[in-house]
Amino acid sequence: VSGSLFGVHEQVGQSGLGADAPLAARMRPRTLEEFFGQSHFLGSDKLLTRMLEADRLSSLIFYGPPGVGKTSLATVIANYTKAHFHHLSAPSASVKDIRDVIDKAKNRLAAKGTRTVLFIDEIHRFNKAQQDVLLEDVESGVLILIGATTENPFFSVNSPLISRSTVFQFEHLNQEEVFKLLQAAIKDKERGLGKYDIEVEEKALNYIALMSSGDARKALTALEVGVLSQAKRNKNITIKFNLEIAKESIQQKTIDYDGTG
């Protein structure tokens, strides 16, 4: 599956990403080929891949822990489908914000035939009235809704909205996937750390991959801390990312705890 043509993005409440953005933000995948993880539904002959290939994408609910690619995959899907992309954060969005997006989506579809992807982060934070506003236009296809949540959507999202959506449960990245992501970030000269002269110990990357607990954002942040902390001391040195540096660059492995059981 290829997604080389970028869609148009309109992010509400988020600034554009530049060279000063964190490594984890800069390394967000742009195509399906650049996306790591979730091969149980995104891979050859898997459900989401089939939906994209058939151009029969319904609204989606992405459910899973932080740092596993929910926002990244929503952006890639918008690129792949050549759709306009809106981003709303549920805690700060109002019904007016939703209605504005819907009105623009209707006009865009009528004038240009362009569909709209509305990505809602933390959709479980929307109340019933906010979720109900979406129902008619999700069902009619005016909007492709992609909602992201860290909570079980079958308890936190309204049943009518769930029935109009396909739910995909995200899993933590495995150690090999995180390792490959770190390697990609080190080699990437445009968005990653490729402009630096870095000597990397494989066991250092394996350590980061293990201690990040499958969280890509945490792993990339640790790599960036280890590299930049040396680069800013002396710009002309070869940066050695060894096991000692890796241990100093990442916190201890986290243990997930759900207070609600």
Side-chain angles (χ1 to χ4, degrees), residues 28-229:
R28 284 192 188 281
R30 299 164 295 185
T31 65
L32 290 170
E33 289 81 4
E34 292 180 354
F35 189 85
F36 289 89
Q38 315 315 322
S39 57
H40 55 293
F41 63 73
L42 188 67
S44 179
D45 291 330
K46 300 298 183 180
L47 177 57
L48 183 53
T49 304
R50 285 179 177 273
M51 292 170 72
L52 290 169
E53 289 175 338
D55 194 23
R56 286 295 179 266
L57 188 66
S58 68
S59 290
L60 311 171
I61 302 292
F62 290 166
Y63 159 47
V68 294
K70 298 187 295 295
T71 304
S72 296
L73 185 54
T75 308
V76 168
I77 287 171
N79 292 338
Y80 184 86
T81 58
K82 306 180 184 69
H84 194 95
F85 183 82
H86 281 270
H87 181 290
L88 289 176
S89 177
S92 60
S94 64
V95 170
K96 180 180 182 301
D97 293 327
I98 301 169
R99 293 195 187 280
D100 285 346
V101 172
I102 291 172
D103 289 342
K104 290 178 181 178
K106 288 178 178 177
N107 293 335
R108 192 177 297 116
L109 189 61
K112 302 178 181 178
T114 302
R115 300 186 73 185
T116 297
V117 169
L118 173 58
F119 177 73
I120 301 178
D121 201 11
E122 298 188 72
I123 193 170
H124 61 275
R125 299 283 294 274
F126 266 0
N127 59 38
K128 185 178 185 299
Q130 288 171 306
Q131 292 185 30
D132 286 348
V133 170
L134 297 162
L135 291 176
E136 181 180 346
D137 295 290
V138 165
E139 189 163 30
S140 67
V142 171
L143 287 177
I144 300 172
L145 171 69
I146 303 181
T149 177
T150 56
E151 298 189 7
N152 190 328
F154 294 101
F155 294 101
S156 59
V157 177
N158 291 353
S159 296
L161 198 54
I162 287 286
S163 70
R164 291 163 174 80
S165 308
T166 305
V167 178
F168 289 100
Q169 183 168 356
F170 281 58
E171 298 175 353
H172 287 291
L173 276 66
N174 62 42
Q175 192 170 338
E176 181 182 359
E177 289 165 343
V178 177
F179 182 88
K180 289 180 178 178
L181 176 60
L182 294 171
Q183 284 186 315
I186 290 169
K187 294 176 182 177
D188 193 316
K189 294 183 178 180
E190 178 189 354
R191 299 178 299 145
L193 301 170
K195 64 181 180 180
Y196 297 103
D197 180 16
I198 307 172
E199 287 185 4
V200 184
E201 288 186 3
E202 185 173 314
K203 58 184 177 182
L205 294 189
N206 277 321
Y207 180 83
I208 294 292
L210 174 64
M211 298 300 288
S212 64
S213 303
D215 184 327
R217 187 183 299 112
K218 184 176 181 180
L220 288 169
T221 299
L223 176 65
E224 185 175 34
V225 167
V227 170
L228 295 188
S229 61

Side-chain angles (χ1 to χ4, degrees), residues 8-28:
V8 180
H9 295 251
E10 182 174 339
Q11 296 195 345
V12 180
Q14 289 194 344
S15 58
L17 297 179
D20 293 331
L23 178 63
R26 301 198 310 272
M27 287 300 297
R28 284 192 188 281

